[in-house]
Amino acid sequence: LPINWQGWAFIGALVALLAALAVLVLARRITVPLTELTASAGHFANGEFDWPVPHDARGDEVGVMARALERARDSIRVQLDQIGRYAAEQQKLQSELDIAHGIQMSMLPHDRDFDSAERRYRLQARLEPAKAVGGDFHGHFEKGDGRLWFVVGDVSDKGVPAALFMARAVTVLEVAAAAGETPDLVLVDASRHLSASNEACMFATVLCGLLDMATGELAIASAGHDAPLLRHADGSIEPIPLESGPALGFDAVDAYAVWRGRLLPGDLLFAWTDGVTEAFDGTDLAFGEERMHGALRVADGA
């Protein structure tokens, strides 16, 4: 039979046209939904998580992608809600810690000058907790007979538990000082009270001293605390040879050693907690006792 090339050409062109139309329909069935899903994802990126996800009911691959995008949208929305609640809780906690910080600072006495018949004393203290609240403390209590009690302490741990134990320790020490006659007896009494009902097993190192403001006579006892430094009027620094006893809070203690001496005109008694010597700079170098001694000399211009 003769070949009808024109007929075959027409049939070929028709098949090609139908194939192109089929490809175009198939492409539109895929590309148009993908474009719409991409638009929905753009709305999600702008925080519009209520924007609908189209084509999620389809049973093909487009439907699978749409449902995956919808699950991702819902998951992000839940996580953002959790983050919002967490941020609100953190803000409330920070506000409460700020209030607790103010309460703790108000519990500590301010700097004061004390005048006796022939002498004048200045008591100064500085406390900067590592966190909003902490366990370091200081205090002084007038005896009423010309004698002045003073304490410096450091509670184990940090944060809220340390602050609560610190408040208890300050109260116990003040009551013990009001009834006691010497620093060692004050620490003995405080050790008995602080070791009772101490299920948390917290403890505090305490330096307790008694100053006779008329004569300058000084008595100091230590419950696990570093001995203070005595800087004389000529700028020389003398470590006080003070024997330390157990910290307060473990067990009741029967006796503490007492150091006795005298403050002369121009002398300065310097007590601290390990928050000073164990402070680290940006290079992880501890401040240390040597640098503390140097700072103490510079403070007097020596």
Side-chain angles (χ1 to χ4, degrees):
L1 293 174
I3 299 175
N4 187 350
W5 294 106
Q6 292 181 344
W8 282 110
F10 175 77
I11 292 173
L14 182 61
V15 171
L17 179 61
L18 291 176
L21 289 174
V23 170
L24 179 62
V25 170
L26 182 61
R28 286 181 59 82
R29 180 174 173 80
I30 295 176
T31 57
V32 171
L34 289 179
T35 301
E36 293 175 347
L37 289 176
T38 301
S40 295
H43 286 287
F44 301 159
N46 293 329
E48 302 174 52
F49 293 103
D50 291 330
W51 195 269
V53 178
H55 311 293
D56 58 333
R58 290 177 52 159
D60 55 5
E61 289 79 359
V62 173
V64 172
M65 294 179 61
R67 289 188 290 274
L69 180 61
E70 192 170 35
R71 287 194 297 271
R73 184 270 314 270
D74 293 341
S75 177
I76 293 174
R77 187 158 48 189
V78 170
Q79 292 179 22
L80 288 176
D81 183 61
Q82 292 175 345
I83 292 173
R85 290 199 302 270
Y86 176 76
E89 292 172 356
Q90 287 297 108
Q91 184 177 9
K92 180 181 178 182
L93 176 61
Q94 186 59 52
S95 176
E96 292 175 350
L97 287 175
D98 290 341
I99 295 173
H101 174 81
I103 293 174
Q104 184 180 33
M105 293 299 101
S106 67
M107 292 178 60
L108 304 177
H110 300 290
D111 298 348
R112 287 185 60 186
D113 290 335
F114 298 90
D115 293 308
S116 65
E118 300 178 355
R119 297 170 180 260
R120 183 178 185 182
Y121 300 89
R122 172 165 293 178
L123 192 151
Q124 294 177 300
R126 182 174 181 179
L127 175 61
E128 293 185 8
K131 298 183 178 181
V133 291
D136 288 5
F137 62 90
H138 62 85
H140 60 264
F141 328 105
E142 290 186 79
K143 187 70 173 177
D145 56 0
R147 292 185 295 172
L148 176 69
W149 287 101
F150 60 88
V151 295
V152 175
D154 182 5
V155 176
S156 60
D157 205 352
K158 292 179 173 60
V160 175
L164 293 174
F165 194 82
M166 164 262 182
R168 183 185 176 197
V170 169
T171 302
V172 168
L173 287 165
E174 187 169 0
V175 172
E181 287 297 324
T182 58
D184 57 324
L185 295 180
V186 169
L187 292 182
V188 167
D189 190 18
S191 73
R192 184 174 67 256
H193 285 87
L194 290 177
S195 61
S197 302
N198 186 19
E199 288 79 6
C201 296
M202 300 190 71
F203 64 91
T205 65
V206 177
L207 187 75
C208 180
L210 178 62
L211 172 66
D212 188 323
M213 292 186 288
T215 64
E217 291 182 359
L218 186 63
I220 303 176
S222 171
H225 204 83
D226 291 321
L229 299 174
L230 186 59
R231 190 188 69 193
H232 298 291
D234 61 2
S236 61
I237 295 178
E238 174 190 352
I240 291 180
L242 176 61
E243 180 182 349
S244 177
L248 304 183
F250 291 121
D251 295 300
V253 180
D254 294 332
Y256 285 91
V258 180
W259 174 87
R260 298 183 185 277
R262 176 170 293 183
L263 284 181
L264 300 176
D267 283 352
L268 174 113
L269 183 70
F270 179 75
W272 74 94
T273 69
D274 58 13
V276 175
T277 53
E278 296 180 3
F280 289 85
D281 60 16
T283 62
D284 288 334
L285 180 64
F287 190 69
E289 290 193 20
E290 184 177 349
R291 295 172 67 184
M292 183 180 69
H293 287 201
L296 191 58
R297 293 189 183 94
V298 171
D300 192 43

